[in-house]
Every structure is written in C-alpha cells, then in structure tokens.
C-alpha cells in the first residue's frame, strides 16, 4: 500500500511548500546556517524533479519571506547570492517544460538577479508542464496590499470586485488556489504564506527538516491529502 498514489484527479492541483529547518539542519552538524541553505537549495531542485515525476501541475515554494529580510545581513546576503547562483541553473528547467514564476516584492533583489528572474519567466512562459513558482521576498499581507494598490491605481471603478476578479491582482494570478500546504521543520504556522490563496487548503506539518525532505515524504503528504474529507463548509 506504501506505493499507492491517488488517481490524477485526486492529486492536489496546487501544492505550497514552506521549506523550513535549514538553519537547524546545519546546526545539528556544527555547520554555519548558510551551508544549511545551500543544502536546502539542492533539495529544492530535487523536489522539482520529484513533482515532475509525480505529474503534479502546480507547486509554489516559499524560499524567502518579507520577514526573513530582518535576519542578520550576512545571512540575507548569503541567501541572495544563493538565489542568484541557482537562477542560472533554474533556467535549465526550460528543457523540462517547467514554467517558472517569481512571486514577491522583487525590487528587493539586485538588478542583475532580478533580470535573471525576468529572463527565466520569459523563457519558460509558454511551457505547459509543471507550473513552478518561487516565493521570494514574499509576504501574504504585502501581496494583498500590493493587489489593492494596483487595483486602485489602474482599474478603480471599472472593475466589478469579486473574489475571482481580486485574485487577478495577486502575484498568483492565473494559478489555481493552493489546496495543500506542506511545512517542514516542525513549526505549525503559516508564516505569512499565501494567505488569500490558502483559504481552503489542507495543511500537512512534518518534523522532517527541509534538507532531509525526499520523494517519499512528498508522496506521503499527497496520500494523506487524498484521504482527507474536504467539505468546503458543506456537510
Ligand atoms: C528556512 O530555513 C529557509 C528560510 C527561511 C530562508 P530557516 O533558515 O528558517 O531554518 P531554521 O528554521 O532556522 O532551522
Ligand atoms: C518561513 O520560515 C519562511 C520560509 C520558509 C521562507 P521562517 O523560519 O521564516 O518562519 P518563522 O519565523 O519560524 O515563522
Ligand atoms: Mg525557520
């Protein structure tokens, strides 16, 4: 039964992954935190391949929150350097038919890093495989404020405001609502991730640290999701 995976129509349509625990993973080994992040980036790449393998449609990885910007400068700089390095590699995802998106207040990043993000989005925009988003300098509250500002500046009065039309102003415009959120690292909170989009998400919290998260953990989460009884307020 261990290998059982649900049929395609019972798979989550959009998984959000809070990749937490890199610092603790490094600490346990007597390593600096930034080496935990480096390992975490490798696990991220492997996880994208696992998502492709499992024929998932859409996944969003939480890599850096607006609150993470308040960490010590050397850790923030190490993370920015890591994103920049991995962006070169991420562009290879084009070959895997992955569509990449970057969600967040991206002006935070240096111009050359931002350009790599725009290039990667552009190069992959017609890809029809896994829709893979990276939430970078992302905060759910800041996203909602950004959406309201955008709406007021451009379409105020001309748009009939509904939950659906509002969704078009969010960074995740065009993506389905997130229906499964997995958080590694043992904490049981959402930490400002996809606040609007997760209104009816199922949550799976695991003690496994992100650097130790593998395909079997992802499969286990998907199995648990498929066994949950989702009622959406009905009976
Ligand atoms: C998650 O790991 C990665 C980021 C938030 C950038 P942490 O750095 O939060 O690791 P812990 O929670 O301190 O172990
Ligand atoms: C959440 O992890 C953000 C990311 C994984 C990018 P944190 O480690 O920042 O969350 P808190 O501070 O424990 O809530
Ligand atoms: Mg953490």
């Amino acid at each position: 039964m261990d290998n059982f995976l649900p049929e395609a129509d019972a798979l989550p349509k959009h998984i959000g992954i809070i990749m937490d625990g890199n610092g603790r993973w490094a600490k346990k080994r007597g390593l600096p935190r930034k080496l935990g992040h480096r390992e975490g980036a490798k696990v991220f790449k492997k996880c994208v391949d696992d998502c492709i393998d499992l024929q998932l449609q859409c996944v969003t990885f939480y890599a850096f929150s607006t609150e993470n910007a308040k960490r010590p400068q050397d850790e923030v700089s190490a993370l920015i350097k890591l994103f920049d390095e991995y962006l070169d590699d991420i562009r290879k995802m084009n070959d895997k038919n992955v569509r990449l998106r970057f969600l967040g207040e991206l002006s935070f990043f240096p111009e050359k890093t931002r350009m790599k993000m725009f290039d990667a989005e552009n190069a992959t925009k017609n890809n029809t495989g896994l829709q893979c988003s990276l939430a970078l300098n992302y905060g759910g509250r800041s996203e909602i404020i950004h959406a309201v500002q955008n709406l007021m500046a451009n379409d105020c009065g001309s748009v009939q405001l509904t939950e659906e039309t509002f969704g078009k102003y969010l960074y995740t415009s065009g993506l389905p609502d997130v229906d499964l959120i997995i958080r590694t690292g043992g904490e049981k909170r959402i930490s400002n991730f996809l606040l609007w989009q997760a209104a009816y998400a199922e949550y799976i919290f695991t003690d496994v640290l992100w650097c130790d998260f593998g395909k079997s953990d992802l499969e286990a989460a998907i199995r648990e999701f498929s066994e949950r009884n989702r009622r959406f307020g009905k009976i």
Side-chain angles (χ1 to χ4, degrees):
M1 232 8 215
D2 259 9
N3 293 324
F4 157 81
L5 267 186
E7 296 293 316
D9 62 355
L11 290 173
K13 295 197 171 33
H14 184 173
I15 304 184
I17 304 186
I18 303 177
M19 307 184 284
D20 195 20
N22 297 350
R24 279 163 285 162
W25 182 90
K27 192 171 175 208
K28 271 202 328 197
R29 285 163 181 75
L31 299 170
R33 291 177 59 86
K34 64 180 175 193
L35 287 189
H37 295 313
R38 196 157 276 280
E39 183 66 21
K42 284 189 201 155
V43 173
F44 155 73
K45 285 207 311 181
K46 168 72 174 55
C47 189
V48 173
D49 287 339
D50 293 341
C51 290
I52 296 171
D53 234 41
L54 298 174
Q55 297 186 308
L56 300 174
Q57 295 170 15
C58 188
V59 61
T60 296
F61 293 90
Y62 201 10
F64 188 82
S65 71
T66 44
E67 289 72 29
N68 291 151
K70 296 176 204 139
R71 290 187 179 190
Q73 192 51 47
D74 63 332
E75 178 160 343
V76 173
S77 303
L79 280 164
I80 294 176
K81 187 163 171 273
L82 194 59
F83 299 144
D84 190 86
E85 268 173 45
Y86 269 82
L87 269 163
D88 298 327
D89 220 44
I90 280 173
R91 290 177 65 183
K92 288 188 199 135
M93 289 195 191
N94 210 357
D95 304 336
K96 300 178 186 174
N97 197 22
V98 173
R99 178 169 179 185
L100 282 168
R101 260 178 249 232
F102 299 92
L103 319 177
E105 186 35 81
L106 303 180
S107 61
F108 172 80
F109 294 99
E111 166 101 30
K112 75 166 173 122
T113 311
R114 242 171 32 231
M115 289 317 292
K116 287 186 194 179
M117 292 179 197
F118 294 143
D119 286 351
E121 280 190 343
N122 246 326
T124 62
K125 69 171 187 260
N126 295 320
N127 289 352
T128 53
L130 180 72
Q131 310 285 295
C132 176
S133 305
L134 268 157
L136 288 171
N137 196 35
Y138 173 90
R141 286 187 170 185
S142 125
E143 176 183 38
I144 291 168
I145 301 276
H146 175 266
V148 172
Q149 283 170 338
N150 193 355
L151 177 73
M152 291 197 320
N154 298 306
D155 301 322
C156 208
S158 66
V159 102
Q160 164 101 30
L161 193 57
T162 63
E163 291 181 9
E164 210 187 324
T165 54
F166 186 69
K168 295 194 193 345
Y169 293 87
L170 297 169
Y171 297 129
T172 50
S173 173
L175 300 176
D177 272 352
V178 71
D179 47 6
L180 169 61
I181 290 194
I182 301 169
R183 181 173 187 142
T184 63
E187 311 295 357
K188 294 178 182 63
R189 53 180 171 256
I190 189 163
S191 301
N192 206 7
F193 187 45
L194 299 178
L195 298 182
W196 174 276
Q197 300 85 341
Y200 257 105
E202 298 295 325
Y203 288 86
I204 290 181
F205 299 105
T206 167
D207 289 335
V208 173
L209 303 174
W210 175 249
C211 298
D212 296 322
F213 189 83
K215 192 175 184 190
S216 60
D217 300 301
L218 180 61
E219 287 174 333
I222 293 172
R223 272 199 297 277
E224 185 175 336
F225 170 85
S226 73
E227 285 156 10
R228 299 246 179 119
N229 184 0
R230 307 186 74 214
R231 287 187 288 279
F232 300 99
K234 300 173 192 154
I235 50 174

